[in-house]
Structures are given as C-alpha cells and as structure tokens.
Amino acid sequence: MDAQPQLLEYHHQPLLPGKHVRILLLYPNGDIDAPIHCSLLQMSLDRLAVNGPAYDAVSYVWGPDIRDHKVFCDGREILVTKNCHAALRYFRLSAQSRRLWIDAVCIDQSSMVEKSHQVSLMGDVYKLAHRVLIWLCEGDKQIYKSMRRARRVARCLGYFSIIDSSRLTINPGFLVAILNRVFQPLALTGVPMDWFTRAWTAQELVLAREPILRCGPEYLPWDSINTWFNQHCGTEVGAVNSFLLRDAYRRFQPGQKIRVNCQKQKPHSQKTSASFMSQMIAATAACRQASHDQDVIFSLYGLMLDIGVRLPPPDYDQRLSAIFEEFTVANIRYSNNLGLFSTLSSHFGQPGFPSWVPSFIAREGSVIVSPEYDRARFRPTFQLWHQPGLITLEGIKVDTITKATFQLEQKPLGELNDTQAKRVQQLGLAYWLDHVFNMFGLDHKCPNGDKTVAGIMNSIITTAHVPEEFQDEYTGTMFDGPPYFRFSARMDDELLEAMARTLRAVSNMIGQQMQKENVTAKVATRLLAEQELPLSEDCLEMLSTIRAICFGWLGLKMRVIATQSGCMGFGEGDYMIGDEVVFLFGCVAPCVVRRCGAEYRFVGKVGLEGMPEGHWPPSEESSEVELFKLA
C-alpha cells in the first residue's frame, strides 16, 4: 500500500499595511466529522467599518496549548488546539461557505511582530463583527436540552423587557424562582466555565454587537437574558449569578458592567462615565487569567482605545513591570483620579514593580472593590508628574502609625478535612483578634468617643454577608437571620468581655503549643486543629460565633493599626510603625506611605476611623500641601 503524501505546512502571506486582518472562509460540509477545509482572505477594517459587518468573530478558550488537530487551508495544514477544531466543526455550515475570524488561524502564531500588531486591532475585530460566537464546549444531550429550554425562556424575557415596567404586574421574584428551575440544570450539566475567567474574553464580550453562547449545535443569546435582569432585578449579577453563570459570573461582573454602560451611553460624551468604565476595565484585568501575563493588559487594549485611553502599541518583548506601569499611568491620566489605588488595594507591593504600580494578575485572595466614584469628591487640582519608575503626587500628611498588628492570614498548611480547616480558621481568627484586643485594650476610646475594639468589631460585622454554610453556627444567636443579609447587631460590653476571655484562652493554648514544639503560630494552629481542643462548650460556641462574624475577612490579609492621634484603622497593606497616613489628591481614601530617603514607598489604602471614603479631613485648608514622590 502506498503511503499517503505528507501535506506541507501552511505559511501565512504577509498582511497588507494598515488595519488589515485575515478572514477565514470556511467551506461547507454536512458531515460534522469531515476534515475542515478553508481559505484565508485579507480585509481592511477601515473598509468594513464603512461597508458593514461581513464576518462572525469566534470567542473561545484555547485550552492546553497542544496543537495536534489539523485544519486544511488551501491544501496545506495548520495545526490548532482541540477546542479550536471543535468550534470550527460546529460553526461550519452544510450548504454554504461562512466567513469567520478566529485567532489561531487568522493570525500567524509564529510571528511575534504580527501578533503584537494584530493585538492592537482586536477591539475593532470584535466590534465590527456581525456576531460574536462564544464557544463553550461540544456538550452532550443533557446540555443541549438545557440550552433549548433556556432559549425558550429567553424569548419570554425578551417579551417582558419591552413592557413598561410600571405596567408589569408579574412579581419579578416569582419569575426568578421559575427561572432558577429552568436554568439551574444548565449550571449543573458540566458546561466549562473557563471562558468566563479568561482575560481576552472580557473585551470580546463588551465590544460585541450580538454575543451568542454556543455549546455544540445549540445556542443561547447573551443579551436576551442579561438585559431583562438589568431592568427588573436592579443588578447585573443578582439573579443571573444564581442560575446560569454562578461563581464564574462574579469574576466576569466588571466586564458585563462595562458592556451595560457602553450600551446606555457613548463614553466619549460624558467624562464621568468613561472614568468609571476606565476603573472597571482595570478591575476586570485584575480578576481574570491569561496564559501570558502581558495578555492581562493587551487583552483590554482595544477596549481602552474605544473609550479614548491612549496606550503605547502592544510589545511582547517589553518588561512586564513597564507594561503595567504604562497602563497604570494611562488609566490615571484619563480618569483624572487615583481611583485605581482603591479599586486594586490588595494588588500593590509586587516584587520588581514600582510600589505604586498594581499587579493586574489575578491571584488567590484578590479583592476588587467596585468603584462608585463621584467627580465632586475629587480635588479639582489633581496633578500627576511621571517619569519611568517614579510618580509624583500632591497630598496632605494627616497622621503617623504607632501600632500595627501582624497580618491575618487564613491559608492553612497541608491537607485538612473540613472540620480541621474550620478549626484552623477559628483558631487563627482568635489569635489575631486577641492581638487586636491587647493592642488597644477593651476600654481604649477613639477620638470620637467610641471604644476602639467595639468599633473594630462593629466594622467587621456591618461589612459582613452571611453565607449558608454558617447558618447552623449562628442560628438562635444575636446573628440569626436569612443568609446573605447584613448583620444588624452591635457589640456590647458583656459580649466583648466574653469574647476577650475566649480569645485569651485560645492565645495561651497556641503560645504553649509554639513553645512545646518550637514552631510558628501558623504551624501551632494547624497542629491544634488536628487535636481535641481542651476548651469549654461556651468557648467552642464563641469560636463559632467569631468565625461567623469574621468570615468575610477570612480570605483577606488584614492588619489593624493605631495612629498617633488615637485613630484606629484597618487594611491589607504591609503597614509598619512609623509609616505616614496621607491624603493623596485624587484618591477617595487615606493611604499609607513609607519614607525611603528623599522618596516614598506606597504601602496601600487604609480604612481610617472617622474618615470615610470620599470625605477629606476638616483641617484640609489649613494643612500644608506636600509633594510625594513615589518610587
């Protein structure tokens, strides 16, 4: 038998100058398993902007970078990933050719120069596409059934969305209950959620004219569902989060908010709205993932250009810290404020980066604060001086840190079962809170007359939302109530004293274990979690109460501070005694900086008692304005 001739590898023809891209002409075939044949055409985005859309763009996740599936382009082969190959098979029509844009084929993946150039055009590619096909997976019969049911309900939602809400007599809560029953199976059928957490897909959704979710042959329009909930449930994430996108949607929420804002108004016409979206874009970058760290920024290049933010052309050979620095400066200049310092307060202090440049790389424990900025809150005299590695800002020194706790860290060591992990959280919180109680004392008062420790605990309580997993821990206590509702209880002296006794008992126990085993507090806590604790039932119940109160802080690396004027505060910075608390013009919250010779190191935002975000200290006019050069 004669051996089959080996096909030659396809080599992309150089792109024409200007804003030219390649469009895939996918040849028809009614057999889903037939080899994929296609050609590549070159088109000008400028001409497409005038003549109208002539292609659909594919938004998908590469998956493992194993290119072992063949696509035949003009008789020569291009190797692509399994996920890309599956998408092309299902997007292929049976009777006519189809024009698509898909990065793995339309961009020469072997040329870094071309990739850098094409990245700068990605925003236009997805904005000018007729539709954006969001490929999730091949799926199975169960997924197809759920998609069909969801699509039928989506049509009903489209009908309700055109009704005047003042005339809508159907209870939205009742409809949400029905939708949960319809869409819950879709969330549980194994639809991969990778697409919702990848960096590139945020821009692709935001700029799309008509995004459509695809699983195999089935589809589900994105906007038919989400638009209805925007109108009738008051929040983009509220009800959708509970049935379709679930936990993945929480990561995707910032990008969807930008999309909603883009649909409501043109950002160029209102600087305030564009400033808000600029901050939301930065937050989107920090809670999504990419195979290459540069792509966290480059994936938003088109979106930033679309709202008027000027950025240097993408360059994959540039240092990562320089890319992040340029993005930070461009964002601040366009927004005309330092909202980024609050939005990404837990992302500063990365090795090799200037202290004032946040890392936009998603990581475990990342916290994104959704910015709700009012231009009236910012100083109109905000100015910025920038040179590589340095940024100079105006501000006012307001206080100095005199005390600081160690950092609350709740990531346990080693493998633990659920009971042991829960115990580690309880003991770790107790040990940290005992340090806080001892640092201030139960009777120490803030300048406003409130007891410091009570103020700290009330701050924790009022920012908490109770999850279902803690229901059994506070049922019948002062914190009883439905899940996901705010606590309304306040700390009184009796409860504080009872809590202090439990904290002292736990700290003594951890201290003895540290001395006995000659280990750190973290290791001692883990060792104790594996044992039967010699504590009374009242103490064990108090530990559960403490965990229920403080669960919202479990994933944070919190420190509590005291200042020279007697104020208390808390935040996630690496605060040290002697650090200065300042108000930087353009920032809604006080910040902590550390003097290093003639320069300062930015430590992070801090929540300071008596100085809520957006309100400047009363003594501002009489305070001396200083220049802070941050390195």
Side-chain angles (χ1 to χ4, degrees):
M1 181 180 293
D2 295 334
Q4 289 185 339
Q6 186 173 2
L7 293 176
L8 298 175
E9 179 184 358
Y10 181 84
H11 293 285
H12 292 76
Q13 294 298 314
L15 283 165
L16 297 172
K19 298 175 67 173
H20 276 80
V21 297
R22 299 184 186 91
I23 300 297
L24 175 74
L25 184 62
L26 185 60
Y27 295 133
N29 198 309
D31 181 3
I32 191 68
D33 296 319
I36 296 172
H37 290 273
C38 64
S39 295
L40 287 174
L41 315 172
Q42 290 200 33
M43 290 188 177
S44 167
L45 292 176
D46 289 331
R47 182 169 296 179
L48 288 170
V50 175
N51 298 335
Y55 64 94
D56 293 332
V58 180
S59 177
Y60 72 111
V61 174
W62 274 47
D65 192 11
I66 303 173
R67 306 177 203 181
D68 54 1
H69 287 64
K70 296 178 180 179
V71 171
F72 300 99
C73 185
D74 294 331
R76 300 195 173 201
E77 67 179 30
I78 300 175
L79 295 178
V80 298
T81 63
K82 177 183 178 180
N83 211 27
C84 175
H85 191 266
L88 290 175
R89 286 194 295 114
Y90 280 95
F91 292 157
R92 177 172 53 186
L93 302 178
S94 59
Q96 63 185 49
S97 298
R98 185 174 196 174
R99 293 184 176 186
L100 296 173
W101 186 93
I102 187 167
D103 61 349
V105 179
C106 295
I107 297 177
D108 183 357
Q109 299 297 323
S110 65
S111 171
M112 294 301 292
V113 174
E114 180 173 309
K115 285 178 66 176
S116 296
H117 175 256
Q118 290 287 286
V119 162
S120 67
L121 304 179
M122 289 298 93
D124 287 336
V125 167
Y126 282 91
K127 187 167 63 174
L128 295 174
H130 176 55
R131 289 172 297 191
V132 171
L133 308 175
I134 300 171
W135 175 254
L136 299 180
C137 64
E138 287 193 67
D140 53 30
K141 290 182 179 180
Q142 187 178 4
I143 291 177
Y144 302 160
K145 180 180 178 180
S146 296
M147 291 282 279
R148 286 192 294 270
R149 293 179 65 189
R151 189 166 64 250
R152 288 196 294 269
V153 173
R155 293 196 187 102
C156 296
L157 297 182
Y159 167 74
F160 284 118
S161 68
I162 64 175
I163 297 177
D164 183 355
S165 59
S166 64
R167 298 170 54 196
L168 184 63
T169 58
I170 299 177
N171 184 341
F174 172 72
L175 287 175
V176 169
I178 294 176
L179 291 166
N180 280 334
R181 294 178 64 89
V182 173
F183 287 102
Q184 190 72 21
L186 185 58
L188 301 176
T189 50
V191 175
M193 291 289 116
D194 294 354
W195 182 89
F196 298 96
T197 62
R198 302 303 293 178
W200 285 100
T201 57
Q203 172 179 266
E204 294 160 10
L205 171 73
V206 171
L207 296 177
R209 298 173 190 243
E210 184 184 352
I212 298 176
L213 296 168
R214 284 289 302 263
C215 289
E218 297 297 335
Y219 70 94
L220 184 63
W222 177 281
D223 286 337
S224 61
I225 298 173
N226 210 74
T227 301
W228 188 89
F229 280 105
N230 294 343
Q231 295 175 357
H232 296 289
C233 294
T235 173
E236 294 83 355
V237 71
V240 181
N241 177 48
S242 68
F243 59 83
L244 178 59
L245 311 182
R246 298 179 67 79
D247 292 338
Y249 197 95
R250 292 174 185 163
R251 285 176 175 257
F252 201 69
Q253 183 185 6
Q256 175 59 18
K257 281 193 173 183
I258 304 169
R259 175 170 172 77
V260 171
N261 275 284
C262 287
Q263 292 172 337
K264 287 181 178 178
Q265 57 189 350
K266 294 181 180 179
H268 301 293
S269 63
Q270 298 217 12
K271 187 75 171 182
T272 303
S273 297
S275 172
F276 170 82
M277 283 190 283
S278 179
Q279 302 299 335
M280 289 304 297
I281 288 171
T284 301
C287 62
R288 299 176 71 76
Q289 302 168 351
S291 300
H292 305 286
D293 291 340
Q294 302 97 316
D295 285 340
V296 171
I297 300 300
F298 293 163
S299 64
L300 296 175
Y301 186 89
L303 196 52
M304 296 296 277
L305 290 180
D306 193 57
I307 66 170
V309 181
R310 297 181 178 274
L311 289 170
D315 181 0
Y316 279 93
D317 293 327
Q318 192 176 15
R319 287 182 299 109
L320 185 64
S321 61
I323 294 172
F324 284 15
E325 180 176 341
E326 289 175 347
F327 184 81
T328 300
V329 172
N331 195 295
I332 292 173
R333 288 192 189 281
Y334 182 77
S335 303
N336 198 34
N337 63 57
L338 298 175
L340 202 62
F341 284 15
S342 294
T343 305
L344 302 176
S345 59
S346 64
H347 286 249
F348 291 92
Q350 300 300 308
F353 282 44
S355 64
W356 53 274
V357 175
S359 169
F360 295 94
I361 300 172
R363 67 179 192 277
E364 185 178 358
S366 295
V367 176
I368 308 300
V369 181
S370 297
E372 302 289 347
Y373 298 124
D374 179 354
R375 286 289 300 128
R377 292 180 174 185
F378 296 109
R379 292 275 302 201
T381 57
F382 173 73
Q383 296 186 67
L384 162 71
W385 295 271
H386 172 248
Q387 60 189 91
L390 295 171
I391 189 173
T392 303
L393 301 165
E394 292 179 308
I396 299 171
K397 178 184 174 182
V398 294
D399 221 330
T400 302
I401 295 178
T402 55
K403 297 178 181 179
T405 65
F406 63 87
Q407 199 170 52
L408 172 65
E409 187 175 358
Q410 288 297 318
K411 189 174 181 180
L413 296 170
E415 294 295 327
L416 299 172
N417 59 40
D418 291 343
T419 301
Q420 293 170 340
K422 172 181 172 182
R423 188 58 51 83
V424 165
Q425 291 179 343
Q426 292 174 339
L427 295 175
L429 281 167
Y431 189 67
W432 180 76
L433 284 173
D434 182 60
H435 190 195
V436 173
F437 279 36
N438 287 334
M439 186 175 78
F440 289 102
L442 292 182
D443 296 324
H444 183 272
K445 293 185 177 180
C446 298
N448 66 356
D450 292 339
K451 289 189 176 180
T452 303
V453 170
I456 294 170
M457 296 308 300
N458 284 326
S459 294
I460 295 174
I461 292 172
T462 55
T463 57
H465 290 75
V466 185
E468 287 186 47
E469 64 184 280
F470 293 119
Q471 272 286 354
D472 59 340
E473 296 186 27
Y474 59 82
T475 300
T477 70
M478 62 183 289
F479 306 106
D480 201 352
Y484 297 103
F485 278 68
R486 290 183 182 275
F487 286 118
S488 59
R490 303 283 293 180
M491 284 287 163
D492 57 24
D493 291 344
E494 183 179 352
L495 181 58
L496 280 173
E497 290 175 1
M499 189 174 289
R501 288 194 297 271
T502 298
L503 299 178
R504 177 53 21 202
V506 170
S507 281
N508 288 338
M509 190 167 58
I510 291 175
Q512 291 171 6
Q513 187 75 15
M514 291 169 64
Q515 187 174 9
K516 175 183 175 182
E517 302 291 342
N518 192 26
V519 293
T520 64
K522 187 173 181 178
V523 175
T525 299
R526 187 195 186 288
L527 294 175
L528 286 171
E530 298 174 334
Q531 305 172 18
E532 191 71 28
L533 297 182
L535 294 172
S536 67
E537 289 297 323
D538 288 344
C539 283
L540 291 174
E541 184 179 347
M542 180 59 75
L543 282 178
S544 291
T545 300
I546 291 170
R547 179 171 176 260
I549 292 172
C550 302
F551 84 90
W553 284 26
L554 292 179
L556 310 181
K557 297 183 177 181
M558 281 290 180
R559 276 188 169 89
V560 173
I561 65 166
T563 68
Q564 194 170 32
S565 65
C567 290
M568 70 89 181
F570 49 83
E572 298 173 75
D574 185 21
Y575 313 124
M576 295 174 60
I577 295 173
D579 287 348
E580 298 179 8
V581 181
V582 301
F583 270 91
L584 298 173
F585 292 1
C587 192
V588 295
C591 298
V592 175
V593 297
R594 183 173 302 146
R595 186 182 289 275
C596 300
E599 300 168 347
Y600 288 88
R601 176 178 176 79
F602 181 78
V603 179
K605 183 187 76 168
V606 66
L608 207 59
E609 177 270 327
M611 296 182 186
E613 291 196 8
H615 295 79
W616 285 75
S619 60
E620 175 194 355
E621 298 303 326
S622 59
S623 301
E624 181 181 353
V625 176
E626 301 181 38
L627 291 178
F628 293 89
K629 182 182 288 187
L630 305 181

